Amino acid sequence: MKPTDIATPNYFHKVVDCQWACPAHTPVPEYIRLIAAGRYSDAYMINWQSNVFPGILGRTCDRPCEPACRRGRVEEGEDGVKPEPVAICRLKRVAADKKDDIRHRLPKRATRKNGKRIAFVGAGPASLTAARDLAPLGYQCTIYDSDAQAGGMIRSQIPKFRLPETVIDEEVGYILDMGIEFRGGARVDSLAGLLNEGYDAVMVGSGAPRGRNLDLPGRREAAKNIHIGIDWLSSVSFGHIDKIGKRVIVLGGGNTAMDCCRSSRRLGGDDVKVIVRSGFDEMKASPWEKEDAMHEGIPIINYHVPKAFTHEDGRLTGVVFEKVAATRDEQGRRQLVPTGEPEINFACDDVLIAVGQENAFPWIERDTGVLFDKYGLPIVDKATLQSTQPKVFFGGDAAFGPKNIIWAVAHGHDAAISIDNFCQGEDLFKRPPPLVNLMSQKMGIHEWSYDNAISNDQRYKVPLKDVSIALKNIKVEVELGFDAAQAFAEAQRCLNCDVQTVFAPKLCIECDACVDICPMDCITFTADGDETDLRTRLNAPSRNLTQDLYVANGLKTGRIMAKDEDVCLHCGLCAERCPTGAWDMQKFYLDLSHADHRCRSGPAVSRPRRAIQLGNPMGDAAE
C-alpha cells in the first residue's frame, strides 16, 4: 500500500470520528477536556466559534457526532445492549450552563464598514450564523423576519420545556449585538423588491415553513380540530394556543411529532397517542426523542396508515386506520402492505398532523433568475450555496429541505465565505484553509499531558424533572443537565481520539513491544500488499472499510507497519512501551476557517483572524 500521508489534514480529522461527523466540525475532544478541567468558558468559546449556539444545541441538537463516537465500537455492551457513546451533546450544555460572562471574548463590532450591504431573509440559524461571520468584516447585515423576535424555528417550533426562552435570547443576542440590524415583523413578499433596494447579496434562510397536509375523507368537515403540527407548535410557542382536547392523536414519526405529543400532554391531553405508518426503528425521530415521549406515558403505535377522519355535526370524533406490515418485493425494496385485518377507529378530540415539512417560496418571482427543480427546491451549488441568481444564496432548510440546526449552522458558515468572496470579486470556490496543529503530548518517559486512563463507566443519565411536575407547565424545562461531578465523570469517558498515534519508521527497531502491549491488537508489522489482502492479515482483521489504515514503510526489514485506526483507544501504551520513541502521541487540532480575508488575491483588508483566547487545555507542556 501507499504510505499514509499524515500531513493531509483530512487524514487525522477522519480519525476524530465525532468532529468528522459534526456538520460544523466542532473540536469535540478539545472542549470535553476543558470541561473535565473545569474550564467551562474556554469550552464554550470553542463551541461558539464553530457551532455558534452551544446552549441551544446542547439541548436540541440531533447529535450526528454521537453515533460516530468510538466508544460505541470498542467496548462490549452488557446483556446484548449496544454500548453507548459519550454524552457529547449534553456536555456541550454543561459548558453553556456553567460558563462565566463571555461577552468580552466575542468579536467586537466593526469600527469601519466596507460599503457592502447584505440582506438575510429569515432570522433562523443559517442566517444568524452567516451574519455573525460577516458583520465583524465590516458588512452591513440586515435580517428580515415576519416574527417579532429573531431565532426562526429555534424560537417558534421547539417547545420551551426543551429549550427555555432565556437561552435563545442570550445566544441570539450575542449575534445581534455585533451591530446587525434586525427587522422583526417585516415579512418579505418580493425577492425582486429586495434586490431593487441595492443589496450586494441576499441570503435566504427562511426554513421549510409549510407543514404537509393529509387530504383524507373528513379532513374538511372536521377541520376545526385537525391541525398542522409545525403551525400548531408555533401558535403554542407564541401563546396563541394554551389548551387541547383530552384525547389527542399525533400522526407522524419525526421529531416534530414528538414535540407535538409532549406539548399536548402539557396542555390538557390525558390520552395522547402517536400513530405511525412505519415501524418503530424506521421512525425519523431521534431515539432519545422517542424515549422521552414514552417516559411521559405516550404510546407509539406503529404500522397503522390513516384512511379517514370521522366526524359528527362538524366535530371530529376519530381517525380510521388500516393495519399494514413491512415486506420486501422481488427487487428487495421495502413496501407496506395491508394485513387484511379490519380497520380500526381511534376516538379523539384533536389531531396533529406531523408528516413532514415543505419549502414554500411564493415570494420569489420566477423571473428573478432563481431556478427551481421539480420538487420546488432552489437549484443551489452544494459547495458555495449560490443559486442561479448570482446575488442570491440559500442556507438551512431553505436550501435542501428539512434537516436540523447544526446543518443550518454549517450552511451559514459556507454561505458567509461565498458571500464574502462574491462581494470582493473573488472565486467562490476559493475556500480559506483550516487551521491545523499537531503537537506532541510527551511530558516524560511514561507521562502525557492528557488523561490517557480509559474509564469503564457506562454513560451517565441526564437528570430529569419529575414527570408529575414537568407535565403541569409547558415552560418548565424537563432536562436538568449534568452537575459538575457528573460532567467530570462523563467527560472522562472520552477516549481523546484527537490525540493521535504518530509513527516514525526511521526510529523503529521492530522489537514488537508496541504489538505486545496494544490492548486492541491494532498494530501489525507484516509484508506489504494491497489493501483488501492486508486488512485480512492484521493481528485483528480490519472490517470497517470506512476507516483508513495507517501504513508506514521504510523499516529495515522491508516490512510495513499497519495500524487499524478504527478501534485504537488512543491510550498511548504503544508510545510508553517503545524504547526508541518511534511512537509518539500528538494532539491534532483542526479549526475550520470561516469568512475572513486570508485568501485574498489582492491587498488584504487589515483584519486578523478571529481570536477568542481559547487557552491551552493540555497545559504548558503542549505549548
Side-chain angles (χ1 to χ4, degrees):
M1 285 184 64
K2 186 178 179 181
T4 302
D5 180 10
I6 63 172
T8 302
N10 272 353
Y11 177 74
F12 280 142
H13 184 197
K14 190 176 179 182
V15 176
V16 191
D17 302 271
C18 49
Q19 184 176 7
W20 179 262
C22 174
H25 301 300
T26 305
V28 174
E30 182 90 342
Y31 80 73
I32 288 180
R33 279 190 297 271
L34 287 166
I35 289 170
R39 294 170 57 181
Y40 305 116
S41 295
D42 287 340
Y44 184 88
M45 292 310 301
I46 283 181
N47 276 280
W48 185 87
Q49 185 174 2
S50 60
N51 62 49
V52 184
F53 305 103
I56 292 169
L57 286 167
R59 292 165 166 84
T60 64
C61 189
D62 272 5
R63 317 180 200 177
C65 54
E66 292 190 12
C69 177
R70 187 173 298 263
R71 284 202 78 112
R73 61 180 186 269
V74 300
E75 64 182 31
E76 295 182 2
E78 296 180 0
D79 301 323
V81 178
K82 185 178 178 181
E84 291 197 82
V86 175
I88 298 169
C89 180
R90 292 325 186 232
L91 287 173
K92 190 191 314 293
R93 172 181 170 173
V94 169
D97 287 353
K98 299 186 180 302
K99 71 182 186 309
D100 299 318
D101 187 347
I102 50 83
R103 285 174 291 182
H104 65 285
R105 300 174 66 170
L106 301 175
K108 301 295 185 287
R109 292 190 179 198
T111 56
R112 184 164 53 108
K113 298 296 184 181
N114 64 11
K116 302 294 183 179
R117 299 170 61 240
I118 315 298
F120 298 84
V121 182
S127 292
L128 289 168
T129 298
R132 187 207 74 163
D133 288 356
L134 291 170
L137 303 182
Y139 288 91
Q140 175 59 53
C141 298
T142 303
I143 302 178
Y144 296 85
D145 199 286
S146 57
D147 290 335
Q149 294 177 288
M153 58 79 61
I154 292 174
R155 191 180 294 275
S156 65
Q157 292 172 28
I158 299 178
K160 299 303 179 282
F161 59 82
R162 289 181 58 205
L163 178 61
E165 193 95 21
T166 53
V167 178
I168 305 173
D169 291 342
E170 177 188 4
E171 296 194 326
V172 170
Y174 289 156
I175 296 172
L176 298 183
D177 286 347
M178 291 180 184
I180 295 166
E181 181 185 3
F182 172 62
R183 298 188 184 180
R187 184 182 185 88
V188 174
D189 294 316
S190 168
L191 176 62
L194 204 59
L195 291 171
N196 288 336
E197 290 186 32
Y199 286 105
D200 296 280
V202 173
M203 179 174 173
V204 179
S206 54
R210 185 169 62 193
R212 289 178 181 162
N213 200 358
L214 285 176
D215 189 13
L216 300 175
R219 174 68 177 90
R220 292 172 179 80
E221 292 84 347
K224 182 180 178 182
N225 295 100
I226 301 174
H227 319 277
I228 300 299
I230 62 170
D231 297 337
W232 183 82
L233 286 172
S234 294
S235 295
V236 171
S237 179
F238 294 119
H240 304 313
I241 290 177
D242 58 7
K243 61 182 178 180
I244 199 167
K246 296 290 185 184
R247 301 170 300 172
V248 181
I249 289 176
V250 178
L251 301 176
N255 287 338
T256 299
M258 299 303 105
D259 286 340
C260 285
C261 69
R262 297 180 69 196
S263 296
S264 296
R265 286 285 281 123
R266 289 160 170 79
L267 295 182
D270 293 331
D271 176 11
V272 180
K273 300 181 181 71
V274 176
I275 305 182
V276 193
R277 64 169 57 234
S278 67
F280 185 83
D281 292 336
E282 299 168 299
M283 292 170 61
K284 292 183 179 180
S286 304
W288 50 90
E289 299 280 9
K290 294 185 285 187
E291 291 173 9
D292 289 343
M294 292 186 294
H295 175 70
E296 293 177 356
I298 301 169
I300 297 176
I301 302 171
N302 298 96
Y303 292 124
H304 281 67
V305 176
K307 305 299 291 184
F309 299 103
T310 59
H311 53 90
E312 185 176 326
D313 298 327
R315 182 178 62 86
L316 177 72
T317 59
V319 185
V320 176
F321 291 89
E322 179 180 51
K323 194 170 183 181
V324 296
T327 63
R328 299 281 176 182
D329 61 19
E330 294 179 355
Q331 286 74 40
R333 293 172 299 194
R334 178 192 169 283
Q335 55 185 357
L336 297 174
V337 297
T339 64
E341 298 173 63
E343 292 181 338
I344 182 172
N345 188 326
F346 286 101
C348 64
D349 302 308
D350 284 280
V351 168
L352 299 174
I353 300 175
V355 294
Q357 293 170 231
E358 298 174 330
N359 294 72
F361 301 105
W363 55 278
I364 298 181
E365 298 87 350
R366 293 321 190 243
D367 60 355
T368 55
V370 178
L371 298 180
F372 294 84
D373 63 17
K374 61 181 180 180
Y375 303 106
L377 290 171
I379 296 174
V380 175
D381 186 276
K382 290 185 178 180
T384 66
L385 297 174
Q386 186 182 43
S387 73
T388 51
Q389 156 57 269
K391 282 189 173 184
V392 179
F393 300 78
F394 285 76
D397 293 353
F400 305 113
K403 215 158 190 181
N404 51 52
I405 299 172
I406 192 62
W407 271 109
V409 169
H411 290 167
H413 288 316
D414 288 339
I417 293 172
S418 297
I419 292 169
D420 186 28
N421 284 352
F422 176 77
C423 289
Q424 303 301 326
E426 296 283 342
D427 181 358
L428 268 62
F429 290 94
K430 189 177 182 180
R431 320 302 279 185
L435 170 68
V436 180
N437 279 326
L438 196 62
M439 300 179 294
S440 177
Q441 301 307 299
K442 188 175 284 291
M443 294 176 65
I445 297 176
H446 302 298
E447 291 182 287
W448 306 100
S449 62
Y450 75 107
D451 187 354
N452 63 342
I454 306 300
S455 169
N456 291 320
D457 291 359
Q458 299 297 306
R459 177 174 169 133
Y460 288 82
K461 301 298 182 184
V462 177
L464 302 176
K465 182 80 73 176
D466 184 85
V467 173
S468 61
I469 299 174
L471 294 181
K472 290 180 179 179
N473 189 334
I474 199 166
K475 293 186 178 182
V476 170
E477 187 171 15
V478 176
E479 289 193 1
L480 303 179
F482 288 133
D483 61 24
Q486 292 167 324
F488 175 80
E490 184 62 33
Q492 292 300 100
R493 297 183 68 238
C494 178
L495 295 173
N496 298 291
C497 295
D498 61 337
V499 182
Q500 307 288 352
T501 50
V502 177
F503 183 67
K506 291 182 179 180
L507 299 178
C508 180
I509 59 175
E510 301 181 63
C511 65
D512 281 0
C514 56
V515 177
D516 294 339
I517 202 170
C518 178
M520 301 299 288
D521 293 328
C522 291
I523 303 167
T524 305
F525 290 86
T526 185
D528 202 355
D530 65 71
E531 182 174 353
T532 302
D533 168 62
L534 187 59
R535 283 182 180 270
T536 65
R537 291 192 285 110
L538 302 182
N539 289 332
S542 176
R543 298 185 177 92
N544 183 3
L545 303 182
T546 64
Q547 190 64 273
D548 297 331
L549 296 179
Y550 182 1
V551 175
N553 58 15
L555 298 172
K556 295 179 177 62
T557 63
R559 298 187 300 171
I560 64 165
M561 186 285 299
K563 174 176 172 286
D564 183 6
E565 298 281 22
D566 188 47
V567 293
C568 175
L569 298 179
H570 298 249
C571 61
L573 289 176
C574 56
E576 287 185 14
R577 186 71 176 270
C578 181
T580 64
W583 286 104
D584 190 16
M585 303 303 296
Q586 297 185 13
K587 182 170 75 76
F588 171 80
Y589 185 83
L590 181 140
D591 178 17
L592 285 192
S593 297
H594 303 148
D596 61 27
H597 296 288
R598 288 179 299 141
C599 57
R600 290 279 171 265
S601 58
V605 175
S606 177
R607 176 191 174 273
R609 188 174 184 278
R610 180 184 289 116
I612 53 178
Q613 302 173 2
L614 296 177
N616 176 22
M618 293 299 197
D620 294 339
E623 294 289 355

